[in-house]
């Protein structure tokens, strides 16, 4: 039985090859491409017959991807999109069994190593994290960062993967990390459809790579359409390489080497990729390979037919210029194989692909059918002792007659059984419940686990080290506390790097990195252009390759420009790879309480709803932030750090162990103990709450103030719920919009911590107005929670409880 994988560095044009060796290579290439095409054809049929939910395939792109695979070596990286199945087969990073396992959403990491059934088909990933959380030897493996469905969303990450090679080559302090890189020789291969080059993420990443001069190789698969939209409506001049000619490097300039080649020309493709990747690898010059005249024989996906929008002339042209057909003709004309030999090869390939498909489908069905039979037997036993035996018998019959059952059919039948017998209680029913509970644990692991690494290296396993102070410890600006923390960590760990707008030469706009570029060099503390999305992508790629990046977004408001990269890529990474990949990136930004529409943001509701998978840190001051950095820089999970914009020049006491003390994530802190009302707040509003607490004491009100410190995870020790048992009243003070972060906190405290049962008054939230704050101090006062607002909100709760003791203010 033939193997699908092929060593990627096999050469087609090599003077030392005999003609017989040359023939074997070409024939093997064609076999891989033909098998891939058959997988696409069978995959589509499996979707249309209902066995799979959705299908998207790489047919029409086979020959170009085989050529690209020849240039791909151990240590290299891929960040591509969902047309690259032939490339994955040719490099050996995937195979047909895994292809069909993913198509059927097989929830087993051994069957689908890319995602354990969590991603739709043709979304690839290799596992570069061991089960214990340690890194694999990336220098000895071929590496594929996990795909996402947003067609240009991987481009920022591609930039970061390539940038890592530059750092590994140029920063000699990193030479000891030889399991991640060999002198920065690794190329980051990216692929994208011609339509998706219209996206901003493509242009942003393309420009950044040209500036940085990193070994990034972008292949554009150009089949003249983006679903139904033709190139004339997508791209100026209908030609992406034509309009990017200005990026072509010239003497004494940075830039790209740009290549153009037809997608059905096997020899030209092999020669082009060998030449382009040699330049990219050796010189660290980014390259663009524009592969034109491609086809997409089955259309975009199983959701529709391309015959609806392509003309008869275009369809006829695509039939004639199908890359495999053209390669077949060339092979026969060049005496590489005879027509009967090609017929025989294709027949064997069809059989092999079909056998792989059947093997995977049968294995998946056998496992589910076994669970179904167990459940049916248990329901039968319940029926024997039930007053609703007839209904249960019908239910079991329907279950056993399922043609292609899923686990949901099994679990749904059990849950219905329990509803039908809700007033009955016997041993048989308890056995059914026990079985369901055991399966629920398994299904939680299959479908709901691995949002975070939760490995031995998790930041939540970092030892708690309290801050220590000398008797004469100085009170300094908060920014100086951060600066000392960063300096200590950069001294301690050579893998830490920081970058962002104005981070380098001036040390960021608030001076947290002041003077550190001069000490540690511009490879470790680096300025970037104004390009938020690729700043995040730059960090993701570095973090995947063993470095500890701090990516700075200058203001929290500007996080919106990178939200898709944070949400679609970074936040989902551990989950969508079933813990097989990680990117311990720290995103540093600042927000809250400054004035003006564009510099006063606190959009925590947006962040909490779109970034599950990141730790969300909201320190009230820079000492707290330093302690959190000390934790995150020793952990292996990503985080967003939101510093208080108006706190950099407030005085704080410098800890003696500024680079070592830790603030545990998820540990709420009681800042002031009280008996009357529990007040929960975070960030800059905490200072106002603490000031208001003094005024409230004069009114005879003693509030308890709690700082959750991180919103995700939130108060894992139930400090808030415990406080509510004592006070029975709750106020949440939050700078976000009404119903945003405050609603999240309410859900955590009232539902998850069961605080609802401790209330004797309606819980209240005090948030900003519905709009962003206008410029000026008055705008802030009338838009965000103020000192007076907090006092009156607390007093109103007390008035509601005891109007005689606390008469209405108004």
């Amino acid at each position: 039985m033939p193997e699908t994988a092929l060593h990627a560095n096999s050469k087609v044009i090599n003077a030392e090859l005999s003609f017989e060796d040359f023939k074997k290579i070409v024939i093997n290439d064609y076999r891989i491409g033909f098998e891939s095409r058959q997988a696409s054809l069978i995959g589509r049929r499996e979707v249309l017959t209902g066995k799979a939910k959705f299908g998207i395939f790489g047919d029409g792109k086979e020959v170009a991807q085989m050529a690209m695979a020849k240039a791909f070596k151990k240590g290299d990286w891929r960040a591509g999109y969902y047309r690259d199945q032939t490339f994955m087969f040719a490099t050996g990073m995937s195979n047909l069994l895994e292809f069909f396992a993913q198509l059927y959403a097989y929830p087993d990491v051994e069957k689908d190593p890319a995602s354990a059934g969590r991603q739709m088909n043709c979304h690839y990933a290799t596992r570069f994290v061991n089960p214990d959380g340690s890194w694999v030897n990336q220098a000895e493996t071929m590496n594929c960062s996990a795909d996402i469905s947003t067609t240009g969303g991987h481009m920022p990450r591609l930039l970061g993967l390539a940038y890592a090679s530059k750092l590994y080559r140029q920063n000699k302090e990193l030479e000891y990390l030889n399991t991640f890189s060999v002198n920065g020789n690794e190329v980051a291969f990216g692929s994208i459809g011609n339509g998706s080059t219209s996206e901003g993420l493509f242009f942003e990443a393309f420009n950044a790579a040209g500036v940085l001069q990193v070994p990034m190789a972008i292949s554009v698969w150009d089949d003249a359409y983006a679903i139904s939209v033709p190139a004339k409506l997508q791209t100026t001049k209908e030609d992406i390489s034509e309009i990017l000619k200005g990026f072509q490097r010239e003497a004494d300039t940075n830039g790209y080497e740009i290549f153009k080649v037809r997608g059905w020309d096997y020899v030209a493709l092999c020669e082009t990729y060998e030449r382009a990747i040699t330049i990219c690898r050796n010189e660290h010059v980014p390259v663009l390979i524009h592969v034109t005249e491609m086809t997409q024989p089955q259309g975009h996906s199983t959701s529709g037919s391309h015959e609806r929008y392509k003309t008869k002339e275009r369809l006829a042209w695509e039939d004639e210029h199908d890359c495999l057909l053209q390669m077949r003709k060339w092979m026969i004309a060049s005496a590489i194989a005879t027509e009967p030999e090609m017929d025989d090869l294709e027949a064997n390939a069809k059989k092999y692909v079909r056998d792989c498909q059947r093997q995977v489908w049968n294995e998946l069905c056998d496992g589910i059918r076994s669970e179904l039979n167990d459940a049916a037997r248990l329901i039968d036993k319940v029926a024997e002792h039930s007053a609703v035996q007839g209904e249960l018998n019908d239910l079991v019959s329907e279950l056993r007659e399922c043609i292609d059952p899923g686990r949901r059919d099994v679990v749904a039948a059990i849950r219905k059984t329990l509803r039908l017998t809700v007033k009955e209680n016997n041993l048989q029913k308890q056995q059914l419940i026990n079985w369901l509970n055991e399966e629920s644990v398994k299904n939680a692991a299959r479908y709901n686990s691995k949002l975070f690494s939760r490995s031995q290296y998790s930041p939540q396993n970092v030892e708690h080290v309290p801050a220590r102070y000398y008797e004469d410890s100085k009170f300094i600006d908060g920014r100086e506390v951060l600066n000392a923390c960063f300096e200590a960590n950069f001294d301690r760990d050579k893998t830490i790097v920081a970058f962002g707008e104005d981070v380098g030469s001036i040390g960021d706009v608030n001076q947290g990195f002041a003077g550190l570029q001069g000490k540690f060099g511009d490879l470790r503390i680096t300025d970037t252009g104004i390009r938020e999305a690729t700043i995040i992508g730059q960090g993701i790629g570095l973090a995947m390759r063993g470095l500890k990046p701090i990516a700075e977004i200058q203001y929290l408001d500007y996080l919106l420009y990178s939200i898709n990269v944070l949400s679609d890529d970074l936040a989902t990474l551990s989950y969508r790879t079933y813990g097989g990949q990680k990117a311990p990136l720290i995103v540093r930004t600042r927000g809250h309480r400054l004035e003006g529409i564009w510099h006063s943001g606190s959009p925590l509701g947006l962040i909490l709803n779109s970034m599950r998978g990141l730790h969300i840190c909201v320190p009230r001051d820079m000492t707290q932030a330093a302690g959190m950095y000390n934790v995150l820089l020793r952990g292996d999970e990503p985080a967003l750090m939101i510093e208080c914009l108006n706190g950099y020049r407030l005085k704080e006491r410098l800890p003696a162990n500024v680079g070592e003390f830790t603030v545990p994530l998820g540990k709420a802190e009681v800042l002031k103990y009280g008996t009357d009302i529990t007040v929960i707040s975070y960030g800059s509003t905490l200072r106002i709450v603490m000031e208001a607490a003094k005024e409230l004491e004069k009114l005879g009100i003693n509030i308890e103030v709690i700082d959750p410190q991180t919103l995700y995870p939130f108060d894992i020790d139930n400090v808030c719920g415990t406080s509510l048992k004592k006070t029975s009243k709750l106020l949440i003070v939050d700078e976000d919009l009404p119903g945003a972060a405050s609603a999240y906190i309410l859900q955590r405290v009232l539902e998850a911590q069961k605080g609802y049962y401790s209330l004797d008054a309606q819980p209240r939230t005090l948030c900003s107005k519905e709009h962003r704050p206008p410029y000026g101090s008055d705008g802030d006062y009338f838009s965000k929670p103020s000192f007076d607002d907090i006092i009156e909100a607390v007093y109103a709760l007390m008035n509601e409880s005891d109007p005689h003791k606390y008469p209405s203010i108004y």
Side-chain angles (χ1 to χ4, degrees):
M1 187 172 290
E3 293 287 329
T4 302
L6 167 71
H7 291 299
N9 58 0
S10 298
K11 301 288 179 68
V12 169
I13 307 302
N14 189 322
E16 297 179 2
L17 280 178
S18 69
F19 186 65
E20 287 304 313
D21 288 338
F22 173 73
K23 284 172 56 176
K24 288 178 182 177
I25 290 172
V26 176
I27 291 169
N28 195 48
D29 281 354
Y30 183 81
R31 176 186 56 78
I32 293 169
F34 192 84
E35 287 177 356
S36 181
R37 177 66 63 86
Q38 294 307 303
S40 297
L41 296 172
I42 292 172
R44 185 179 183 88
R45 287 199 292 269
E46 292 300 277
V47 173
L48 297 180
T49 58
K51 291 181 179 178
K53 295 291 290 185
F54 180 79
I56 197 156
F57 307 102
D59 45 307
K61 317 294 188 286
E62 293 90 352
V63 174
Q65 291 178 24
M66 290 187 290
M68 182 168 73
K70 291 179 181 299
F72 196 85
K73 297 182 178 180
K74 287 183 178 179
D76 285 345
W77 284 82
R78 171 189 172 270
Y81 88 130
Y82 45 67
R83 300 291 185 197
D84 290 351
Q85 70 198 51
T86 307
F87 173 79
M88 294 299 293
F89 297 159
T91 57
M93 289 191 288
S94 187
N95 58 49
L96 287 163
L97 294 175
E98 293 169 3
F99 171 89
F100 286 112
Q102 193 174 59
L103 180 69
Y104 297 134
Y106 204 142
D108 184 330
V109 74
E110 298 297 324
K111 303 298 183 181
D112 172 20
S115 71
R118 293 179 175 184
Q119 292 239 71
M120 67 175 62
N121 76 299
C122 286
H123 286 61
Y124 292 103
T126 55
R127 306 189 72 75
F128 56 74
V129 178
N130 292 313
D132 66 356
S134 61
W135 299 97
V136 305
N137 186 335
Q138 296 178 357
E140 289 297 320
T141 57
M142 294 180 176
N143 307 291
C144 173
S145 60
D147 291 350
I148 55 180
S149 291
T150 51
T151 55
H154 59 288
M155 293 301 297
R157 180 194 342 130
L158 175 66
L159 174 72
L161 293 169
Y163 183 60
S165 290
K166 177 176 180 174
L167 295 186
Y168 279 122
R169 178 172 289 185
Q170 296 188 12
N171 184 356
K172 300 307 178 185
E173 290 183 325
L174 299 177
E175 287 182 346
Y176 72 99
L177 294 170
N178 54 16
T179 60
F180 291 99
S181 176
V182 178
N183 193 37
N185 291 333
E186 303 79 25
V187 172
F189 287 69
S191 63
I192 190 168
N194 57 290
S196 296
T197 62
S198 301
E199 293 186 325
L201 291 179
F202 172 81
F203 281 97
E204 187 174 317
F206 197 85
N207 178 61
V211 171
L212 292 172
Q213 289 295 277
V214 293
M216 185 171 94
I218 302 174
S219 295
V220 177
W221 309 141
D222 190 346
D223 58 21
Y225 286 84
I227 307 185
S228 66
V229 181
K232 67 181 180 181
L233 299 179
Q234 292 279 354
T235 308
T236 302
K237 301 182 180 181
E238 301 185 42
D239 191 318
I240 188 63
S241 60
E242 182 69 22
I243 65 173
L244 292 176
K245 279 184 177 179
F247 284 87
Q248 173 66 49
R249 67 170 177 165
E250 300 170 355
D252 302 319
T253 70
N254 58 11
Y256 277 75
E257 287 296 329
I258 299 175
F259 301 85
K260 195 171 189 177
V261 61
R262 293 176 298 192
W264 48 266
D265 191 336
Y266 175 76
V267 174
L269 283 161
C270 293
E271 292 173 343
T272 298
Y273 271 98
E274 182 176 3
R275 188 162 136 239
I277 302 306
T278 297
I279 294 170
C280 189
R281 191 183 306 280
N282 295 342
E283 301 180 40
H284 274 201
V285 172
V287 299
L288 172 71
I289 302 103
H290 181 195
V291 185
T292 64
E293 297 190 19
M294 283 188 150
T295 66
Q296 202 154 285
Q298 298 186 104
H300 175 74
S301 70
T302 54
S303 61
S305 170
H306 61 152
E307 294 172 348
R308 291 182 299 166
Y309 53 85
K310 290 179 181 175
T311 65
K312 291 181 179 179
E313 292 76 15
R314 173 67 193 189
L315 292 169
W317 182 91
E318 290 193 8
D319 287 342
E320 181 183 353
H321 289 82
D322 183 288
C323 61
L324 290 177
L325 176 62
Q326 290 291 325
M327 184 175 177
R328 190 185 202 275
K329 288 179 178 178
W330 170 77
M331 290 170 67
I332 294 171
S334 302
I336 292 169
T338 64
E339 190 155 351
E341 288 172 337
M342 297 297 289
D343 291 343
D344 188 55
L345 181 155
E346 291 170 355
N348 289 334
K350 286 181 180 179
K351 182 179 183 305
Y352 174 56
V353 177
R354 175 59 78 182
D355 288 345
C356 288
Q357 175 266 318
R358 287 171 176 161
Q359 177 182 334
V360 174
W361 177 251
N362 290 337
E363 287 176 358
L364 176 61
C365 289
D366 288 348
I368 295 175
R369 182 65 65 177
S370 175
E371 295 171 22
L372 184 151
N373 290 335
D374 289 343
R377 283 193 296 270
L378 290 169
I379 297 173
D380 280 338
K381 291 180 180 179
V382 173
E384 290 174 3
H385 301 83
S386 175
V388 289
Q389 183 176 15
E391 290 182 74
L392 294 180
N393 288 339
D394 291 343
L395 180 62
V396 171
S397 295
E398 289 179 14
L399 182 61
R400 287 187 167 123
E401 290 169 3
C402 282
I403 297 173
D404 295 319
R407 287 190 171 89
R408 65 174 186 170
D409 299 300
V410 177
V411 172
I414 295 174
R415 294 169 76 174
K416 186 170 183 179
T417 298
L418 296 177
R419 291 196 300 272
L420 290 171
T421 60
V422 66
K423 296 182 180 180
E424 300 175 2
N425 191 16
N426 52 54
L427 176 62
Q428 291 73 24
K429 182 179 175 181
Q430 188 58 51
Q431 289 174 337
L432 182 63
I433 292 172
N434 293 342
W435 189 89
L436 177 62
N437 289 338
E438 291 173 4
E439 289 302 306
S440 295
V441 172
K442 295 176 185 177
N443 286 330
R446 289 179 180 119
Y447 305 110
N448 312 122
S449 61
K450 307 290 184 179
L451 184 61
F452 289 94
S453 74
R454 294 293 185 259
S455 73
Q456 59 183 316
Y457 307 105
S458 167
Q460 291 191 279
N461 292 331
V462 173
E463 180 184 1
H464 180 212
V465 179
R468 291 187 292 103
Y469 295 91
Y470 297 121
E471 288 186 10
D472 60 347
S473 289
K474 295 180 181 179
F475 280 89
I476 59 177
D477 287 351
R479 63 182 177 84
E480 295 178 278
V481 174
L482 276 182
N483 188 271
C485 167
F486 290 141
E487 182 173 6
N489 278 288
F490 271 73
D491 264 332
R492 175 185 62 83
D493 187 348
K494 304 303 182 186
T495 66
I496 299 174
V497 295
F499 47 87
E501 299 162 25
D502 302 302
V503 167
S505 60
I506 69 169
D508 85 51
V509 291
N510 294 100
Q511 301 287 280
F513 284 104
L516 298 187
Q517 188 182 69
K519 179 171 182 178
F520 297 106
D522 60 6
L523 287 175
R524 295 191 65 191
I525 300 175
T526 311
D527 284 316
T528 71
I530 301 175
R531 48 176 182 81
E532 286 80 7
T534 49
I535 288 173
I536 300 302
Q538 194 170 322
I540 295 172
L542 293 181
M544 285 180 161
R545 294 192 60 187
L547 299 175
K548 285 288 183 68
I550 302 172
E552 179 168 315
I553 302 298
Q554 199 163 85
Y555 294 106
L556 185 54
D557 303 82
Y558 303 159
L559 202 71
L560 292 172
Y561 290 93
S562 60
I563 199 78
N564 52 347
V565 184
L566 286 163
S567 180
D568 291 344
D569 202 351
L570 183 60
T572 66
L573 179 63
S574 178
Y575 175 79
R576 74 178 190 269
T577 62
Y578 197 74
Q581 296 191 2
K582 62 182 177 180
L585 167 65
I586 300 173
V587 180
R588 181 191 182 217
T589 189
R590 49 192 68 83
H592 317 307
R593 302 310 293 195
L594 205 64
E595 297 165 354
I597 290 173
W598 309 114
H599 296 81
S600 57
S602 300
L604 269 301
L606 169 70
I607 290 165
L608 287 163
N609 287 330
S610 64
M611 296 188 200
R612 300 296 169 92
L614 273 70
H615 297 288
I616 309 299
C617 303
V618 285
R620 64 183 180 269
D621 56 36
M622 303 310 157
T623 302
Q624 296 297 95
M628 293 177 189
Y629 280 121
N630 289 335
V631 170
L632 294 168
L633 288 168
R634 290 166 171 82
D636 72 344
E637 295 171 352
L640 173 65
M641 180 75 71
I642 305 171
E643 299 164 11
C644 296
L645 250 172
N646 58 359
Y648 290 110
R649 297 192 180 276
L650 297 179
K651 299 300 181 183
E652 298 181 33
R653 200 175 176 201
L654 178 66
N657 56 344
V658 68
E660 299 172 3
F661 81 96
T662 59
V663 173
L665 308 184
K667 299 283 188 177
E669 182 179 1
V670 179
L671 300 185
K672 178 186 176 299
Y673 287 91
T675 56
D676 293 327
I677 295 178
T678 297
V679 180
I680 303 171
S681 190
Y682 60 90
S684 293
T685 49
L686 269 170
R687 285 195 293 275
I688 307 173
V689 170
M690 292 298 286
E691 292 170 7
K694 300 173 185 176
E695 184 78 12
L696 287 163
E697 286 181 354
K698 297 176 184 178
L699 296 170
I701 301 171
N702 186 11
I703 66 172
E704 183 150 297
V705 182
I706 299 176
D707 176 10
Q709 302 197 95
T710 61
L711 293 183
Y712 203 82
F714 181 86
D715 186 15
I716 57 179
D717 295 328
N718 290 1
V719 172
C720 297
T722 301
S723 172
L724 210 51
K725 290 179 181 179
K726 175 173 57 175
T727 67
S728 301
K729 299 177 183 64
L730 175 63
L731 173 67
I732 296 168
V733 181
D734 171 38
E735 288 188 64
D736 203 354
L737 302 177
S742 57
Y744 165 82
I745 295 172
L746 279 172
Q747 186 273 331
R748 293 288 169 169
V749 176
L750 299 186
E751 183 178 344
Q753 298 187 5
K754 303 189 186 317
Y756 170 82
Y757 299 101
S758 299
L759 294 173
D760 65 7
Q762 176 184 329
R764 302 281 182 88
T765 62
L766 178 59
C767 308
S768 71
K769 296 296 191 288
E770 299 279 359
H771 53 78
R772 299 186 187 190
Y775 179 64
S777 297
D778 286 345
D780 176 80
Y781 180 83
F782 290 106
S783 301
K784 289 196 171 187
S786 67
F787 175 83
D788 299 312
D789 293 331
I790 293 167
I791 291 173
E792 292 178 5
V794 170
Y795 191 90
L797 274 167
M798 298 305 293
N799 166 258
E800 181 182 328
S801 177
D802 190 345
H804 178 73
K805 185 176 181 180
Y806 302 100
S808 176
I809 295 175
Y810 296 102

